[in-house]
């Protein structure tokens, strides 16, 4: 089959999963088939049904599945008995990655940041940034923002706003003050409010070690900060003696149009956390970028067995050289972002009260109704499109297509979304 048969989709055999896999599993509940292969923006299940991927590993596959050049380089590395694991030893692969990252990413932006290899996932990078900010400033409290998501380990979870995620901790999540994100409190000037609270010695808020922010909130509903708000936030961090940390784990590496979500915003973060698409291939790889004056670690003061993935160094270097040596990908993303904005606006106009959220290729429709968003995503899956929700109430249908998806396939996926909305909205209206 070349496409999903709407009434004959084969449900994955679930016995082994029900018998042995933890109840914590989640994505597979919404997409209950067994996936067998993937290429570009296409997933294929065990029965040969194909699906357009508008999830892309939650932005871990910005360059799509199994990029041929990254795959060839990784296979060559394996066949040459290159190191699979190296702790933080010097290797040719690490040197090549750092050289490419310096040449294609840091130098063009005038960034002198050091690259700290952390554990392999985004939450590891966030934990390292928190620890260093507290070490640099001698303070404990951190300012995070409503609807933010920063990871599932305890330090990063303390920064996260989602009550369901926080509830899984089972312990207090201290030393974080949550403040309102831009436009989250109606007409309230959130920067003015934050400044007033930090300036008041009787506000009850301890002096912060850092501010940490996603400039587009991936799991929190695609709330996008303006340049003015981001600049104001950076100024407040400096005013109050805090480090300014941008969590670019989901919004970075091309997702919003350029490599960093803050490119062209006129800010210079003290630290940046990166993961997800950093490897380019879906391999675990995370790091924290640190301004040199803050890199005060003692050797091995923060370490981990998997800090730096040798296989990911290989594929990440290829990704940088292939996609960031010129402006071709940026231009392609700009064009697709325009198409995405136009189509989502048209689709959203058919749903009363719906609004467009996000920036670049990190866009969605806020329906104000999590049940309706869930029905639309389920209908998309039935028609051959993998797409998910985000937001405090799962009310945003979120498009995270690979940046490299062919335009024809991209439009086809948007057509499926359009048809799913057409099928679900009358039902929603009747239910009211």
């Amino acid at each position: 089959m070349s496409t999903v048969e709407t009434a004959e989709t084969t449900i994955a055999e679930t016995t082994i999963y029900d018998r042995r896999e933890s109840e914590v599993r989640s994505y597979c509940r919404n997409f209950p088939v067994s996936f067998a292969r993937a290429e570009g923006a296409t997933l294929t299940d065990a029965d040969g049904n194909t699906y357009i991927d508008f999830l892309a590993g939650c932005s871990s596959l910005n360059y799509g599945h199994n990029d041929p050049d990254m795959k060839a380089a990784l296979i060559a590395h394996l066949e040459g008995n290159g190191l699979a694991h190296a702790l933080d030893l010097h290797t040719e692969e690490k040197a090549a990655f750092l050289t490419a990252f310096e040449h294609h990413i840091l130098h063009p932006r005038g960034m002198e940041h050091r690259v700290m290899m952390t554990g392999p996932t985004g939450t590891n990078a966030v934990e390292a940034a928190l620890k260093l900010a507290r070490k640099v400033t001698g303070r404990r409290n951190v300012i995070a923002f409503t609807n933010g998501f920063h990871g599932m380990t305890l330090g990063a979870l303390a920064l996260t706003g989602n009550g369901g995620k926080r509830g899984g901790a089972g312990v207090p999540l201290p030393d974080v003050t949550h403040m309102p994100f831009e436009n989250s409190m109606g007409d309230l000037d959130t920067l003015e409010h934050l400044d007033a609270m930090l300036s008041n010695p009787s506000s009850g808020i301890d002096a912060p070690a850092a501010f940490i922010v996603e400039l587009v909130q991936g799991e929190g509903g695609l709330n996008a900060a303006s340049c003015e708000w981001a600049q104001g936030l950076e100024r407040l961090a400096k005013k109050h003696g805090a480090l300014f940390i941008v969590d670019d784990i989901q919004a970075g590496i091309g997702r919003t149009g350029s490599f960093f979500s803050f490119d062209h915003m006129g800010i210079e973060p003290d630290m940046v956390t990166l993961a997800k698409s950093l490897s380019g291939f879906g391999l675990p790889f995370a790091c924290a970028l640190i301004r040199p004056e803050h890199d005060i670690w003692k050797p091995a003061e923060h370490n981990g067995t998997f800090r730096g993935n040798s296989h990911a160094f290989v594929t990440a270097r290829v990704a940088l050289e292939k996609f960031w040596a010129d402006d071709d990908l940026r231009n392609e993303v700009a064009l697709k972002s325009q198409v995405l904005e136009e189509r989502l606006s048209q689709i959203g106009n058919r749903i009363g009260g719906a609004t467009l959220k996000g920036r670049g290729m990190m866009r969605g429709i806020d329906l104000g109704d999590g049940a309706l968003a869930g029905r639309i995503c389920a209908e998309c899956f039935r028609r051959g499109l993998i797409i998910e929700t985000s937001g405090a109430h799962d009310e945003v249908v979120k498009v995270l297509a690979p940046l490299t998806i062919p335009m024809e396939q991209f439009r086809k996926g948007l057509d499926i979304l359009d048809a799913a909305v057409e099928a679900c909205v009358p039902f929603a209206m009747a239910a009211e």
Side-chain angles (χ1 to χ4, degrees), residues 69-81:
D69 297 309
M70 296 182 213
K71 181 168 64 176
L74 180 57
I75 290 171
H77 175 79
L78 294 170
E79 289 182 337
N81 290 325

Side-chain angles (χ1 to χ4, degrees), residues 301-416:
E301 190 173 13
H302 183 94
N303 61 11
T305 305
F306 296 99
R307 60 190 190 280
N309 180 337
S310 293
H311 294 159
F313 287 146
V314 173
T315 56
R317 186 264 307 165
V318 173
L320 293 170
E321 294 174 349
K322 179 174 181 176
F323 294 109
W324 298 102
D326 55 36
D327 291 331
D328 288 353
L329 180 65
R330 294 183 188 86
N331 295 336
E332 184 179 341
V333 171
L335 178 59
K336 289 173 185 171
S337 298
Q338 183 178 354
V339 170
L340 181 59
E341 180 176 358
E342 291 172 354
R343 288 299 304 276
L344 291 184
S345 295
Q346 293 167 3
I347 294 169
N349 286 339
R350 297 207 304 276
I351 307 170
T355 56
L356 189 64
K357 303 288 287 293
R359 178 155 59 92
M361 287 283 281
M362 192 174 182
R363 287 278 193 165
I365 304 172
D366 186 340
L367 304 173
D369 181 342
L372 174 58
R375 288 197 298 272
I376 289 171
C377 289
E379 181 64 20
C380 284
F381 175 64
R382 197 176 71 85
R383 294 168 181 261
L385 177 68
I386 304 291
I387 191 169
E388 262 285 8
T389 62
S390 74
H393 304 285
D394 295 317
E395 73 279 12
V396 179
V397 176
K398 180 171 67 172
V399 177
L400 289 179
L403 309 181
T404 54
I405 185 172
M407 184 63 83
E408 181 179 358
Q409 188 179 26
F410 189 41
R411 292 184 186 276
K412 181 178 179 181
L414 292 171
D415 288 342
I416 293 174

Side-chain angles (χ1 to χ4, degrees), residues 42-122:
T42 302
L43 288 164
T44 304
D45 71 19
D47 293 327
N49 299 308
T50 59
Y51 305 80
I52 298 172
D53 187 0
F54 271 20
L55 181 59
C58 283
S59 205
S60 294
L61 294 160
N62 284 0
Y63 312 112
H65 297 267
N66 286 305
D67 175 87
D69 297 309
M70 296 182 213
K71 181 168 64 176
L74 180 57
I75 290 171
H77 175 79
L78 294 170
E79 289 182 337
N81 290 325
L83 275 72
H85 182 271
L87 295 170
D88 68 353
L89 296 173
H90 293 162
T91 66
E92 292 180 354
E93 291 74 28
K94 183 199 288 187
F97 163 74
L98 286 170
T99 299
F101 193 76
E102 178 182 62
H103 179 70
H104 295 297
I105 306 302
L106 297 179
H107 277 176
R109 293 163 176 80
M111 295 174 65
E112 298 299 327
H113 292 63
R114 304 279 179 84
V115 182
M116 176 186 178
M117 307 302 176
T118 67
T121 69

